[in-house]
Amino acid sequence: MTTPDITPTSATGPLLEVTDLSVSFTAHKQTAKVVDQVSFSVQPGKTLGIVGESGSGKTVSSLALVGLLPRTANITGSARFAGQELVGMTTRQQRQIRGNDISVIFQEPMTSLDPVFTVGNQLTGAHRNHQGGSKKDALDRAEEMLRLVGIPEPRKRLAEYPHAFSGGMRQRVMIALALINSPRLLIADEPTTALDVTIQSQILELLQELQQAMGMAILFVTHDLGVVASVCDDVSVMYAGQVVEQAGIDEFFAHPRHPYSEGLLRSMPHSVPKGERLRMIPGTVPLPSRFPTSCRFAGRCPYAQEACTADPIPLEQLDDGRVVRCVRHRELVMEARS
Amino acid sequence: MTDVSDTTTPSEPPATPADGAAPLLRVRDLEKVFPIKKGLLRRTVAHVRAVDGVSFDIARGEVLGLVGESGSGKSTTGRLLLRLIEPTGGSIELEGKELRDLEGEELRAVRCDMQMVFQDPYSSLDPLAPVADIVGEPFQVHFNMPRKERDEKVVKLLEQVGLSAQHLRRFPAEFSGGQRQRIAVARALALEPKLIVADEPVSALDMSTQSQVVNLLSDLRERLGVALLFIAHDLSIVHHASDRIAVMYLGGIVEVGDADDVYSHPCHPYSEALISAAPVPDPVVERSRRRIVLEGDPPSPLDPPSGCRYHPRCAYAMDICSQVAPEPTPTLAGGEVACHLHTSGPALAGRPLAELSGVTTHEPG
Amino acid sequence: MTDRHPDPNADPFVTSGNAGPLDATTEVERSVEGAWVPVMHQSDDMPRHVGFWKRFRRNKVAVAAAIYLILLILAAIFASHIGLQDPNAQNISEINRRPSAAHWLGQDDLGRDVFARIIYGARVSLQAAFTAVAMALLVAVPIGLFSGFVGGWIDLVLMRISDAVQVNPGLVLALVITGILGPSTTNVAVALAFVFTPGFVRLIRGQVLSVREETYIEASRSIGAKRGYIIRKRVLHNVASPLIVQAAVTAGFALLAEASLSFLGLGVQPPQATWGTMLSRAFAQVFQAGWLLWIPGSAIALTVLAFNLVGDGLRDALGAEGRN
């Protein structure tokens, strides 16, 4: 299967370009390819949302980029970050790039912060590991970061331990930790899923402000299409380990090109008037061991034909720069709302 | 509602459904105080007022949505209704019968009329019991029904929720999250309850399966006439599934009213902020609308703020808000709101908050 | 509601045919057809309940240990039917003879067939071990369930009692009890059961404490189930897995303890054979026929090891069951 070259819309070229990335795990002599030839690109200073349900492979593909998968993972394909190949890097090289040029924030801030060190300790450590410099400089930088992420009395709070912070404040500390070395790419894996909506909107707003101030690109992994609409520039939809569609968000939310995208958008309560039944996608995501070789969505797709269950479906680049993996995309006209 | 106990007379119950008929469930001044115990002697050092004077009614066949963030006491309220947690104050009447004094057999009998669907379908089903035993448990517990008869009933229930007889001998681990939640719904339906308390029934599910469960609950309401208390934090789903919505903040209901009214024209600043905070899957709307970003975190229920509990985070806070707890007042749309803006200061007198803030949240629909 | 979108291409994600508004009375009895069907069809895609045996079989060592134990148990049960020589028949003319075709494991200091004595000895040793574990379980399960589920001051008292038992070294305690009750196989089993009970109680109580917090227990309560029903139907089988593992490992320890007590002359009385007494007699002959020590010694070591290996295998196989 050939994957099209996903040409960037901007002149400078993408900051991160992932091509045919595959990840498989082997257990009990069975191999499950949980990520299958995934391709996407992130432009400098822009936000790409990767959307998918659990089991879609969205988290695994993002963690594969920074070497945060267990050693049993078999990663193939290519991921070029600012000209550097990330796939096949040594652990040492990965560690150098992680937390420096590429940072990661996770869903659960408490498990990502070390409970036995003070917040200041962790922040200065992260800074000095990569930048060197004196303790005092690092401390100043840590204080500046806490102020930047909106934590009141930053100097005082540097001496506190993670448990002394509330959920929303912890996520702010995580963001400060991730951004202390001014990364060029931030991978945010469901950073607001564990938070209440009012706190979520604070964090989303903060991320957008920081992105403008620092000019970093964000790879935003989420299951929430509302979050995508509010913070992303482009969106890549994953289903059962594959990218099924990539597009700019305006085009995507107005006219999805893949039946799965359409199904997702339509199943949201916003897409139907109150009182009507919600639209739904029947069935569930197949297990990685049972992914069909042809279209993986065919079993749940209302448009499925014989052609959909025959051969593997290529990811096709369209004239308008969009990418879609569906044999019928030319004939189908889809709407986000019903 | 906050401190409703002092003022509201029984003849003027807050939050009565529009039709005026006797409600199925009538909750007044419901209260749960958890003692915080410390030390070797387990001495009580503080109290958490998890639910503090909550009053509402649910009519027959009605869906009342209960929304709030974590710590608002919404799940505790649901459990108090079934007395899975013992209330420390207030009254719960089902069809005019007070549930708080019931013990033993009487309490068990009442539990036939009220059932619960839990948030996490992965832990709410016994992992080692086959579906037939899980869904058939109510029949065994209440009627000691023989297996054959029980299985027949279970198959009928499974069919109602979109599963079938072939699933009878399977174990929970063999099902997806959405299917498990349907098994949980089938179990809740077994005794033909009059009210189902659904505690965040879809928040543990994937987005494409959420709508399956929401639709299932709506169907059952239509077909069986069962009333629902739909507890959730996702306002768009609650709005879609409910007839009326009650918004909870820090143990009290701040606003209740028709679902469309609360969602589109909230009267309480917290409702407005909550609705505004939820992102909408439409980039055009997202760019154009003004999002209210609340300052700070919700305060600890251990040490709630004085006066109106929302005042430290409220953009409209006035002097009175930190001193006096607001009483529930009727809104023009027929709901109730507990906020000083409607009686003091600008005196909205029941009009939507948008007249003051200029913020539009959602158009109905 | 009615199908508002008759053209499936226009609105493919509508689930039509599922639930019309209809006359509610008839619809209650009718099964839901149509759009849900794909969901049921898909459920064949779900993970099959990976069976206990399938997982247990993966652990080859545990399987070998289990086969060894089963053969040993069968041999012990049917010892008198499998053509063994009389274990107590003496032959003073052939003492301390090395293994031969007629006597597979040789003859002891009274010329008795060691192989026959090992098998008959297994009968006594295993019986004592199993009785001890069974008695301990019989007492511990109800106490542990009650203590964990009900809690309160009774729990507190029961736990202090179990502490009081557990502070004593197990074997010494068993020795004292057997000494008081008088030497016999039954008394050894009783003494060991007494020693094992607190451990089982604690294990069950701990499991119950965690299972008690599961939502499915709350769900059962919300249905109106009584406490007794919940303990019997919901709690018991969810605490069974670690209990089975612990029982297997304890059986190995019981066997060892029984051998120790018999070695010290507190168990079975001569001439009846048991591994402990065989070891004791062989020890007396250590300068005349040192190899005799190896036979009961290896039997004890192998069997204890087998119990532990089976316990490990059970732990792996049961551990993931149902937890997905």
Side-chain angles (χ1 to χ4, degrees):
Chain A
M1 182 183 349
T2 54
T3 306
D5 175 31
I6 297 161
T7 35
T9 39
S10 71
T12 48
L15 176 70
L16 173 72
E17 183 151 32
V18 175
T19 320
D20 288 342
L21 184 77
S22 297
V23 181
S24 55
F25 291 94
T26 304
H28 300 301
K29 293 171 198 157
Q30 277 190 320
T31 299
K33 207 169 192 180
V34 294
V35 172
D36 189 12
Q37 302 203 308
V38 159
S39 302
F40 55 79
S41 55
V42 186
Q43 307 300 327
K46 297 282 185 186
T47 304
L48 172 71
I50 296 193
V51 209
E53 299 177 80
S54 54
S56 63
K58 58 184 192 303
T59 295
V60 174
S61 16
S62 60
L63 295 187
L65 299 176
V66 280
L68 287 176
L69 288 180
R71 284 170 177 282
T72 49
N74 178 25
I75 306 169
T76 59
S78 149
R80 294 195 78 78
F81 172 77
Q84 243 180 318
E85 179 58 57
L86 298 176
V87 175
M89 261 190 179
T90 63
T91 317
R92 203 191 151 92
Q93 286 170 314
Q94 278 170 343
R95 212 176 293 142
Q96 194 128 51
I97 210 161
R98 194 168 63 219
N100 197 13
D101 282 332
I102 304 179
S103 276
V104 193
I105 49 177
F106 298 98
Q107 177 176 346
E108 197 15 87
M110 196 56 198
T111 51
S112 324
L113 291 169
D114 194 328
V116 300
F117 289 103
T118 64
V119 161
N121 222 316
Q122 298 182 50
L123 282 166
T124 52
H127 185 65
R128 296 184 72 205
N129 273 345
H130 289 286
Q131 314 286 335
S134 76
K135 231 178 195 161
K136 194 185 169 302
D137 289 347
L139 211 58
D140 288 344
R141 176 75 180 149
E143 186 185 345
E144 188 193 332
M145 282 315 296
L146 282 193
R147 187 173 293 121
L148 206 57
V149 297
I151 291 180
E153 300 181 81
R155 194 92 210 179
K156 199 178 115 206
R157 305 226 64 178
L158 279 177
E160 291 179 13
Y161 290 88
H163 65 81
F165 291 76
S166 70
M169 285 295 157
R170 263 179 227 147
Q171 197 56 290
R172 283 168 190 264
V173 172
M174 258 317 289
I175 292 172
L177 192 59
L179 301 187
I180 194 160
N181 295 319
S182 311
R184 296 158 75 187
L185 175 67
L186 176 69
I187 297 175
D189 184 9
E190 304 258 13
T192 58
T193 306
L195 306 174
D196 276 325
V197 277
T198 58
I199 309 300
Q200 165 173 288
S201 70
Q202 293 174 0
I203 298 292
L204 293 181
E205 185 125 320
L206 172 68
L207 278 173
Q208 281 178 302
E209 280 171 22
L210 293 172
Q211 180 174 31
Q212 285 192 336
M214 303 171 78
M216 69 199 165
I218 302 180
L219 185 64
F220 205 110
V221 179
T222 180
H223 69 276
D224 189 335
L225 286 165
V227 171
V228 171
S230 82
V231 301
C232 297
D233 300 297
D234 297 287
V235 59
S236 193
V237 182
M238 285 191 71
Y239 182 77
Q242 294 180 326
V243 168
V244 294
E245 178 167 7
Q246 183 170 348
I249 51 163
D250 286 298
E251 300 87 60
F252 175 80
F253 282 95
H255 300 286
R257 300 298 290 268
H258 193 280
Y260 175 63
S261 317
E262 188 198 41
L264 277 187
L265 286 168
R266 286 199 180 181
S267 66
M268 303 212 52
H270 308 82
S271 73
V272 291
K274 183 172 162 57
E276 264 185 50
R277 293 169 57 73
L278 295 175
R279 307 294 178 263
M280 45 197 189
I281 306 176
T284 46
V285 186
L287 290 172
S289 53
R290 293 174 182 229
F291 284 160
T293 49
S294 55
C295 174
R296 294 179 177 179
F297 188 59
R300 304 172 72 187
C301 179
Y303 306 110
Q305 292 181 333
E306 236 164 85
C308 303
T309 52
D311 300 309
I313 316 292
L315 197 58
E316 238 179 290
Q317 169 101 41
L318 310 185
D319 297 336
D320 52 4
R322 296 176 66 169
V323 177
V324 63
R325 192 192 292 272
C326 175
V327 284
R328 298 194 63 197
H329 72 87
R330 275 175 225 287
E331 35 176 324
L332 297 173
V333 179
M334 296 185 220
E335 298 282 341
R337 283 171 185 259
S338 35
Chain B
M1 310 225 154
T2 341
D3 285 351
V4 77
S5 47
D6 315 6
T7 52
T8 322
T9 52
S11 56
E12 278 183 334
T16 317
D19 56 13
L24 172 71
L25 180 80
R26 188 173 177 276
V27 177
R28 288 294 172 274
D29 308 327
L30 191 63
E31 184 190 270
K32 177 64 190 181
V33 180
F34 289 107
I36 304 284
K37 291 181 174 171
K38 268 202 178 135
L40 194 66
L41 297 172
R42 317 292 302 153
R43 219 196 299 268
T44 303
V45 293
H47 294 279
V48 179
R49 308 186 72 83
V51 174
D52 194 4
V54 161
S55 303
F56 59 87
D57 290 344
I58 300 180
R60 277 167 213 285
E62 188 192 28
V63 182
L64 176 66
L66 190 58
V67 281
E69 297 180 276
S70 51
S72 64
K74 57 185 192 303
S75 288
T76 309
T77 302
R79 284 172 163 78
L80 288 173
L81 297 186
L82 274 82
R83 288 195 44 206
L84 291 173
I85 304 173
E86 286 301 321
T88 47
S91 86
I92 308 161
E93 282 176 26
L94 186 75
E95 300 185 303
K97 190 177 185 189
E98 175 60 54
L99 305 188
R100 278 210 50 209
D101 331 314
L102 299 186
E103 285 304 329
E105 283 306 311
E106 279 185 313
L107 180 62
R108 271 165 34 87
V110 162
R111 283 183 175 158
C112 297
D113 288 335
M114 283 204 282
Q115 290 285 298
M116 189 145 179
V117 174
F118 296 87
Q119 170 172 5
D120 182 3
Y122 292 87
S123 66
S124 70
L125 307 179
D126 183 344
L128 298 182
V131 170
D133 280 7
I134 293 172
V135 179
E137 185 172 45
F139 299 125
Q140 201 186 347
V141 164
H142 286 279
F143 312 117
N144 204 8
M145 203 180 272
R147 165 159 297 260
K148 199 162 164 284
E149 200 182 328
R150 208 165 71 208
D151 282 357
E152 282 168 19
K153 292 222 170 210
V154 170
V155 169
K156 278 192 183 141
L157 287 165
L158 289 178
E159 284 168 353
Q160 280 195 41
V161 299
L163 298 167
S164 72
Q166 61 162 349
H167 297 110
L168 214 51
R169 300 274 161 251
R170 300 216 187 153
F171 290 85
E174 297 174 70
F175 295 91
S176 66
Q179 289 174 317
R180 284 168 178 235
Q181 202 56 298
R182 287 197 223 157
I183 294 170
V185 171
R187 171 174 60 187
L189 285 175
L191 298 168
E192 297 170 20
K194 301 188 173 90
L195 173 71
I196 293 181
V197 174
D199 183 14
E200 304 249 13
V202 298
S203 26
L205 304 180
D206 261 324
M207 46 188 168
S208 75
T209 41
Q210 284 190 352
S211 47
Q212 293 176 7
V213 174
V214 171
N215 282 352
L216 173 64
L217 290 172
S218 313
D219 290 349
L220 295 174
R221 191 267 286 260
E222 271 183 40
R223 290 189 286 147
L224 310 177
V226 59
L228 264 175
L229 180 65
F230 194 105
I231 303 171
H233 65 270
D234 184 335
L235 251 154
S236 62
I237 284 185
V238 170
H239 165 243
H240 189 90
S242 311
D243 302 316
R244 289 185 306 135
I245 294 179
V247 182
M248 273 189 93
Y249 186 77
L250 221 60
I253 293 179
V254 295
E255 178 171 4
V256 61
D258 176 79
D260 274 338
D261 291 332
V262 174
Y263 192 62
S264 308
H265 310 292
C267 291
H268 195 282
Y270 177 66
S271 317
E272 184 187 50
L274 193 65
I275 294 161
S276 155
V280 176
D282 185 338
V284 183
V285 175
E286 279 297 308
R287 272 192 291 270
S288 61
R289 77 194 177 101
R290 209 185 95 203
R291 203 192 293 166
I292 303 168
V293 176
L294 279 187
E295 295 293 315
D297 299 319
S300 154
L302 259 174
D303 183 24
S306 60
C308 172
R309 291 169 167 202
Y310 182 60
H311 85 264
R313 299 175 80 195
C314 181
Y316 311 94
M318 304 174 286
D319 287 344
I320 186 176
C321 298
S322 58
Q323 293 147 16
V324 185
E327 304 298 342
T329 50
T331 65
L332 288 185
E336 294 222 358
V337 60
C339 173
H340 288 303
L341 286 175
H342 293 268
T343 47
S344 320
L348 280 168
R351 295 193 305 273
L353 195 63
E355 297 193 10
L356 194 65
S357 64
V359 173
T360 50
T361 43
H362 294 281
E363 285 314 308
Chain C
M1 71 200 50
T2 46
D3 187 357
R4 277 160 230 235
H5 307 272
D7 176 9
N9 245 0
D11 205 344
F13 290 99
V14 173
T15 56
S16 54
N18 181 0
L22 323 173
D23 28 348
T25 42
T26 55
E27 190 58 18
V28 177
E29 298 295 313
R30 235 188 61 192
S31 69
V32 178
E33 294 158 350
W36 290 106
V37 172
V39 180
M40 294 185 275
H41 167 77
Q42 282 274 327
S43 69
D44 291 331
D45 239 2
M46 293 313 298
R48 283 266 163 210
H49 196 58
V50 180
F52 160 75
W53 283 114
K54 202 174 161 194
R55 270 197 303 264
F56 187 75
R57 279 209 310 269
R58 270 194 206 133
N59 189 340
K60 300 279 182 269
V61 182
V63 171
I67 290 171
Y68 164 78
L69 283 181
I70 289 167
L71 287 178
L72 186 70
I73 291 166
L74 287 177
I77 292 172
F78 300 108
S80 43
H81 304 286
I82 52 174
L84 292 173
Q85 302 174 31
D86 182 351
N88 298 324
Q90 303 183 0
N91 185 351
I92 309 297
S93 59
E94 295 177 22
I95 62 167
N96 292 345
R97 290 285 169 91
R98 292 197 172 252
S100 64
H103 303 279
W104 292 352
L105 295 177
Q107 288 160 285
D108 69 2
D109 60 330
L110 293 175
R112 295 175 294 195
D113 181 57
V114 175
F115 183 67
R117 287 185 71 75
I118 284 285
I119 300 297
Y120 276 91
R123 184 187 258 188
V124 179
S125 295
L126 288 173
Q127 199 187 346
F130 285 142
T131 314
V133 172
M135 281 197 289
L137 282 176
L138 217 60
V139 179
V141 169
I143 294 180
L145 287 174
F146 184 83
S147 198
F149 204 79
V150 181
W153 65 270
I154 301 177
D155 176 45
L156 209 70
V157 171
L158 286 169
M159 285 307 107
R160 292 300 80 76
I161 294 174
S162 90
D163 284 344
V165 175
Q166 282 192 305
V167 291
N168 304 294
L171 200 58
V172 175
L173 192 62
L175 200 78
V176 171
I177 295 169
T178 327
I180 295 168
L181 295 176
S184 84
T185 323
T186 318
N187 289 347
V188 166
V190 169
L192 290 177
F194 186 80
V195 171
F196 296 149
T197 302
F200 282 132
V201 169
R202 282 204 172 270
L203 177 79
I204 298 162
R205 177 179 172 272
Q207 290 295 316
V208 171
L209 285 181
S210 80
V211 168
R212 196 175 68 165
E213 299 305 316
E214 295 281 349
T215 317
Y216 56 79
I217 301 297
E218 199 181 12
S220 281
R221 282 181 60 210
S222 78
I223 283 163
K226 291 180 190 162
R227 198 144 70 180
Y229 172 90
I230 294 175
I231 292 177
R232 272 183 291 117
K233 291 283 181 175
R234 293 283 162 255
V235 179
L236 186 57
H237 67 174
N238 277 294
V239 305
S241 301
L243 199 60
I244 291 167
V245 174
Q246 184 69 15
V249 174
T250 307
F253 181 72
L255 191 89
L256 193 64
E258 190 275 337
S260 311
L261 293 175
S262 298
F263 182 87
L264 299 172
L266 285 165
V268 178
Q269 296 307 302
Q272 215 186 339
T274 157
W275 294 352
T277 48
M278 286 174 74
L279 200 64
S280 169
R281 276 198 87 87
F283 186 64
Q285 304 285 319
V286 69
F287 295 113
Q288 288 80 37
W291 56 271
L292 265 176
L293 266 177
W294 283 97
I295 293 161
S298 316
I300 293 166
L302 260 179
T303 311
V304 171
L305 181 69
F307 273 117
N308 278 289
L309 290 173
V310 169
D312 276 355
L314 287 173
R315 191 193 327 267
D316 294 344
L318 288 168
E321 182 156 43
R323 309 266 182 253
N324 199 13

